[in-house]
Amino acid sequence: MLKHLSVDEMVGLTHPWLDDTQAEALFCSIPEIAPLHSKVKAIHAALLAARPPSKARHPKLRALMAEASSIDIEHDALARAIHAGLLADRAFARAETPPATDRADRADRVLAAMFPRGLSIVNASLLAQSGNTVRVASLLATQRSVADYLDTIPVQNAGTLLTLTQRWIAAGERLAELEHDKAAITAKVRTVPVTRAAMNRLRARWIRLVNQVLTLLDLSDAPLDAIETIRGPVLAASSRAGRRYEQPRAPAPVLTLVTNNTPD
């Protein structure tokens, strides 16, 4: 049933023989299989190099993705707060007696400049979000009146809308850094794609080698617990994989008894 194992399951089974100190020492202590250790190491490395890179398998990428998710939430919350603050300031201006039309118009202009597509930015990619905050930072730097206006709108326990905007820009900068770091790590772990035929050859080599290990363990005089430590996980995984491919049996045909009820 080894043929039913996925590549991830294969490397997961041989990984302890190479990277777990106790398991590796145990493997090498069994004289019948010890000479195969270098071959196991070679085919294990070949499978690792051939399988497509996975962000979920790389600890640094997982950490970067987790931080990016947290910063993305902060970015979106700040965007919504700033947008709502501008709408509120415009509404308050219009509600004055008489209406403060100049301030309401100013709120409209700043709102259009900072959010030309409304709040759709919160649904954009992380790179798009960081690029947008670069644009907002440039807006504040080149049009000081926008920053001055934002600084006149107080926010409870958070300073002013300018304070929130500066935090928003900082979140966007951090998103850009995280995306850059993710790209750099992904480039390092990216592998050259292999053909299906090449992958099948690697799988076949792994299967032949592990079958050889299992056969030699059957002939070994090593302690049974040592043999089972090496052999047990392989047999269990192989059994599970085989069950995945078991075809359900067709239901037995139902026989119907036909009687002739026609009177004589």
Side-chain angles (χ1 to χ4, degrees):
M1 296 296 183
L2 293 179
K3 66 181 181 180
H4 295 317
L5 293 170
S6 69
V7 174
D8 280 349
E9 287 171 325
M10 288 178 169
V11 297
L13 287 170
T14 48
H15 172 80
W17 302 351
L18 306 171
D19 294 299
D20 182 283
T21 303
Q22 290 184 340
E24 181 180 9
L26 185 60
F27 188 103
C28 293
S29 72
I30 301 175
E32 290 82 2
I33 64 173
L36 297 179
H37 190 262
S38 60
K39 291 185 179 294
V40 171
K41 186 175 183 179
I43 188 60
H44 181 86
L47 281 175
L48 279 177
R51 67 178 180 170
S54 170
K55 293 179 180 178
R57 286 195 293 263
H58 198 290
K60 288 185 179 179
L61 277 176
R62 288 201 302 269
L64 289 174
M65 291 168 67
E67 184 179 355
S69 177
S70 176
I71 299 296
D72 181 35
I73 292 172
E74 180 185 8
H75 166 281
D76 293 354
L78 288 167
R80 291 188 176 98
I82 296 164
H83 189 271
L86 291 170
L87 289 177
D89 192 64
R90 183 183 65 183
F92 291 147
R94 289 175 176 173
E96 289 186 24
T97 305
T101 54
D102 287 347
R103 186 173 181 88
D105 290 344
R106 190 178 188 186
D108 269 331
R109 290 193 300 271
V110 172
L111 192 62
M114 294 182 66
F115 298 92
R117 295 179 180 82
L119 280 174
S120 62
I121 190 62
V122 301
N123 297 317
S125 68
L126 300 188
L127 281 177
Q129 290 179 354
S130 64
N132 180 68
T133 54
V134 169
R135 182 189 61 80
V136 172
S138 176
L139 176 69
L140 297 187
T142 58
Q143 299 186 35
R144 185 61 201 178
S145 61
V146 174
D148 292 340
Y149 165 66
L150 292 172
D151 206 24
T152 66
I153 304 173
V155 176
Q156 186 176 9
N157 301 325
T160 66
L161 275 192
L162 179 60
T163 310
L164 292 190
T165 302
Q166 290 166 340
R167 286 178 53 197
W168 188 33
I169 292 169
E173 290 174 349
R174 183 56 184 156
L175 287 177
E177 293 171 356
L178 291 170
E179 286 296 287
H180 178 270
D181 291 345
K182 283 164 57 181
I185 293 175
T186 301
K188 291 180 180 179
V189 300
R190 184 173 290 118
T191 59
V192 178
V194 298
T195 64
R196 182 184 295 273
M199 180 60 81
N200 286 339
R201 286 194 295 271
L202 287 173
R203 286 171 53 85
R205 284 176 53 200
W206 187 94
I207 290 170
R208 287 196 301 271
L209 181 58
V210 173
N211 271 329
Q212 182 71 10
V213 170
L214 296 177
T215 298
L216 292 172
L217 285 175
D218 285 339
L219 302 174
S220 176
D221 294 324
L224 183 59
D225 60 340
I227 292 174
E228 285 306 311
T229 298
I230 300 297
R231 179 174 60 188
V234 178
L235 295 181
S238 176
S239 178
R240 288 193 301 269
R243 288 196 295 270
R244 290 201 301 261
Y245 287 84
E246 288 179 353
Q247 295 296 326
R249 294 182 178 179
V254 178
L255 300 179
T256 303
L257 180 63
V258 178
T259 59
N260 187 352
N261 293 325
T262 304
D264 293 336

